[in-house]
Amino acid sequence: MLNLHALRLFHHVAELGSVTKAAELLKISQPAVTSQIKKLERELGLPLFSPLGRGILLTDAGMTLAQESARLFALEKHIEQSIEDYRAGYAGRLRVAATYLPANFLLPRGIAGFKRKFPDVDIQFTTTSSLNATDHLLRYEADIAFIGGLRNSHPSLEKTHWYEDEMWFVVHKDHKLASSEAVLAEVVKEPFVYREQGSYSREQLLSLCRVQRLNAPTVGLQMNGFSELIRVVSEGYGVAFLSALEAREEVERGNLRRIYVQDAVMNNPVFLCHRKEPLPPHALRFLETIPRNNSG
């Protein structure tokens, strides 16, 4: 087996062209350096240096070994730097899962800022449902997850409240209830544009109706995508119940108007979730960089 300690001494001698300089750099005696190199020559069965007065001259075998040892110890430095970068949170692979609301409205600006600051951290981002986001964590397919409207938590996961958004009822600007105050019993008589079954907004609306012992609104349309839902309501059909972040842009443009339903005030919480184990350093850096009130 190659003696790495002796090889390291040989590398410094070959690089500096002097046993004395190598000994000074390594803070060991010159005889100790010479002894180790002679031992290395015996182990290899090859001469590495030829006598040259006070200097040194590499043999052909010595030149070959010097080139290879330079590559070896350069790789060692690279490995050490890589580990240090990982330990400091400047490198690594971060897998993030998020539900639609945080993925589209809360995280993009923060992720862009983080990547500008930490370009060597590889971020793999998945937009998915709350159930799938939880499964990604449990199957070690994600390191952290941002989950909107999380109702149940898993005993293996840590859950932290991260953001809170209002829920709005919105309609086309010319709808008879646009910008008005109303009660839920009046609003649910209108046809609704629903998100898919299992979505937080749909489940919460149905829960409000059950609590107030009202019939569920008519399902005028069911849309699996937020953009499609907004467009349909903006074109003049139905009522939508959704997060303020999803509706605010169209409300500010004047295409949609809110209905202020006094007996149906509700918020949409977003939770940060991860397994109950220490997060890797780059994940901690990421969470330090992503502000909770980021609406980018």
Side-chain angles (χ1 to χ4, degrees), residues 108-255:
R109 183 179 299 170
I111 289 174
F114 178 82
K115 282 296 292 183
R116 286 193 297 268
K117 192 173 182 181
F118 302 102
D120 293 330
V121 176
D122 175 26
I123 296 181
Q124 298 179 4
F125 193 91
T126 302
T127 303
T128 186
S129 67
S130 59
L131 180 60
N132 286 339
T134 299
D135 287 343
H136 282 321
L137 289 173
L138 295 174
R139 294 197 300 261
Y140 284 75
E141 294 171 354
D143 302 301
I144 56 177
F146 297 87
I147 304 176
L150 182 64
R151 290 178 286 275
N152 300 312
S153 58
H154 193 279
S156 298
L157 300 180
E158 190 78 33
K159 181 178 79 169
T160 304
H161 186 272
W162 187 70
Y163 189 89
E164 190 88 15
D165 191 33
E166 292 181 287
M167 297 293 294
W168 287 358
F169 292 88
V170 296
V171 291
H172 183 264
K173 62 182 179 180
D174 296 327
H175 192 281
K176 64 182 181 181
L177 295 177
S179 301
S180 69
E181 293 187 3
V183 294
L184 186 62
E186 181 181 5
V187 176
V188 296
K189 294 176 182 178
E190 301 294 317
F192 267 68
V193 183
Y194 275 110
R195 290 290 299 274
E196 67 278 5
Q197 289 189 1
S199 68
Y200 178 79
S201 58
R202 180 170 182 157
E203 293 301 316
Q204 292 305 108
L205 177 59
L206 296 179
S207 176
L208 284 170
C209 291
R210 286 193 295 270
V211 168
Q212 298 195 29
R213 298 184 178 181
L214 300 172
N215 292 327
T218 301
V219 182
L221 282 171
Q222 177 176 305
M223 314 295 289
N224 289 336
F226 148 78
S227 297
E228 297 91 331
L229 183 150
I230 285 289
R231 289 193 183 99
V232 166
V233 180
S234 297
E235 290 295 331
Y237 182 81
V239 182
F241 182 59
L242 68 174
S243 278
L245 284 172
E246 296 174 312
R248 180 171 284 111
E249 184 175 345
E250 290 301 309
V251 169
E252 291 176 350
R253 287 179 177 175
N255 297 327

Side-chain angles (χ1 to χ4, degrees), residues 52-114:
L52 183 67
R54 292 188 174 182
I56 62 169
L57 176 65
L58 289 170
T59 63
D60 185 60
M63 291 178 62
T64 299
L65 187 60
Q67 292 172 354
E68 295 301 323
S69 65
R71 291 174 55 193
L72 173 64
F73 293 117
L75 177 60
E76 179 188 47
K77 287 183 180 180
H78 175 74
I79 293 172
E80 290 175 346
Q81 186 61 55
S82 297
I83 294 300
E84 182 55 37
D85 288 346
Y86 186 92
R87 186 182 295 115
Y90 298 136
R93 182 183 65 165
L94 178 62
R95 298 164 301 177
V96 181
T99 53
Y100 185 88
L101 182 71
N104 286 272
F105 296 94
L106 299 174
L107 297 172
R109 183 179 299 170
I111 289 174
F114 178 82

Side-chain angles (χ1 to χ4, degrees), residues 13 16-21 30 49-58:
V13 171
L16 297 172
S18 167
V19 173
T20 302
K21 290 180 180 179
Q30 183 175 333
F49 296 106
S50 297
L52 183 67
R54 292 188 174 182
I56 62 169
L57 176 65
L58 289 170

